[in-house]
Amino acid sequence: MARQIPVLRMPQTARAVSALILREVAATHGQSIGGYAWAILEPVAGIALLSLIFSMAFAAPPLGQNFALFYATGFLPFMMYLDLSQKVSVAIRYNKPLLFYPGVTFLDALIARWALAALTHALVAAIVFGGLFAIYDTGERIDARYIAGAFVLTACLGLGVGALNCALLSLFPTWERIWAVANRPLFIVSSIFFLPSSLPEPYQSLVTWNPLVHVIAMMRRGFYGLYRPEFLSAGYVLAVSGGCMFVGVALLRRHYRRVLNA
């Protein structure tokens, strides 16, 4: 018989999350340096490919003069969100045997996967952006406030959407295929390749309903001092993230025994 619905207990949660993170490190990246190197090489390869393709078609990117920097400011937040939301969405499936132990709750599993993925992507982004500024003289003055804010928004959005999908995947297995199909156009409509202001209405207004457009706009605001996106709303991203998180956790708490015994 499943145990009682868990609550967040700070000392126990800290211990459980730490142990789950250590387990996640070994399972995700393995015991060799190659697992960590791939976390850096994958976004670098994606940015290089985008830069090569679009530099052959256009004289300059939509912002600045450096293709690699422009696409990095879109590609890295997008990949961070995608990875965080995916890892959190399968946190219960991945850790289900451990959830029967009294000291481990589904919140511990969600937080552990999210925290490790967020820290990994922040480190990767620091390495990639640092490398770009070391190789290229972009002439841009960065604003660390907006860059940090973009990472915080991305982390919140990944956690919120991941928690909601975790509940839906646990209760309705077919949701995984539905979400995969619905998520495919996201790469195109998240403003990785373009600026929303370049679109005519009503498409410009429509794309701003996508919270990732706001995240990427904030990231670019941090790297391009003259860029002032009027549509940018951190509050909107936080509202979407918080709403998804609330519904996801509420569903998991309500159907916890059913999820564990599925």
Side-chain angles (χ1 to χ4, degrees):
M1 182 177 177
R3 54 195 176 86
Q4 295 297 314
I5 297 174
V7 294
L8 197 63
R9 302 156 300 169
M10 294 308 297
Q12 295 90 334
T13 295
R15 289 194 295 269
V17 168
S18 299
L20 289 171
I21 287 177
L22 292 175
R23 176 177 181 267
E24 182 76 13
V25 168
T28 302
H29 299 293
Q31 301 296 328
S32 68
I33 194 66
Y36 296 93
W38 179 247
I40 300 172
L41 292 175
E42 184 179 15
V44 168
I47 294 165
L49 182 60
L50 289 174
S51 302
L52 176 62
I53 292 173
F54 284 94
S55 65
M56 292 188 296
F58 301 99
L63 280 175
Q65 298 298 320
N66 189 279
F67 281 94
L69 181 61
F70 178 79
Y71 294 118
T73 54
F75 188 74
L76 290 175
F78 177 83
M79 291 302 295
M80 179 177 175
Y81 157 77
L82 207 64
D83 190 47
L84 261 65
S85 61
Q86 193 277 332
K87 280 185 166 60
V88 174
S89 70
V90 295
I92 288 182
R93 178 192 303 171
Y94 182 80
N95 292 291
K96 184 177 284 190
L98 300 177
L99 296 178
F100 286 94
Y101 289 93
V104 183
T105 73
F106 73 80
L107 289 174
D108 301 333
L110 266 61
I111 293 170
R113 299 210 90 193
W114 168 78
L116 178 61
L119 290 172
T120 300
H121 280 275
L123 178 60
V124 168
I127 293 172
V128 172
F129 284 129
L132 288 176
F133 277 94
I135 295 171
Y136 302 105
D137 181 13
T138 64
E140 302 292 344
R141 296 182 60 184
I142 67 172
D143 190 330
R145 296 173 301 170
Y146 288 96
I147 297 171
F151 277 111
V152 170
L153 291 181
T154 307
C156 290
L157 186 63
L159 178 61
V161 173
L164 177 59
N165 279 335
C166 184
L168 295 176
L169 289 176
S170 301
L171 297 171
F172 312 104
T174 55
W175 175 251
E176 187 168 12
R177 290 190 289 272
I178 296 172
W179 178 251
V181 173
N183 222 27
R184 284 173 186 169
L186 200 61
F187 187 70
I188 298 173
V189 300
S190 293
S191 75
I192 298 173
F193 315 108
F194 60 88
L195 297 178
S197 58
S198 66
L199 299 176
E201 292 290 0
Y203 305 109
Q204 184 177 148
S205 297
L206 287 174
V207 298
T208 57
W209 283 99
N210 178 0
L212 278 174
V213 171
H214 297 260
V215 170
I216 292 174
M218 181 172 282
M219 180 67 77
R220 286 175 173 155
R221 173 68 180 84
F223 281 94
Y224 299 95
L226 298 179
Y227 183 49
R228 299 289 195 276
E230 296 181 358
F231 63 86
L232 176 58
S233 174
Y236 172 67
V237 181
L238 291 174
V240 173
S241 305
C244 290
M245 185 71 182
F246 176 81
V247 175
V249 172
L251 286 173
L252 287 172
R253 287 176 62 86
R254 174 67 178 81
H255 302 283
Y256 189 57
R257 294 183 180 87
R258 175 183 167 188
V259 168
L260 278 188
N261 294 317

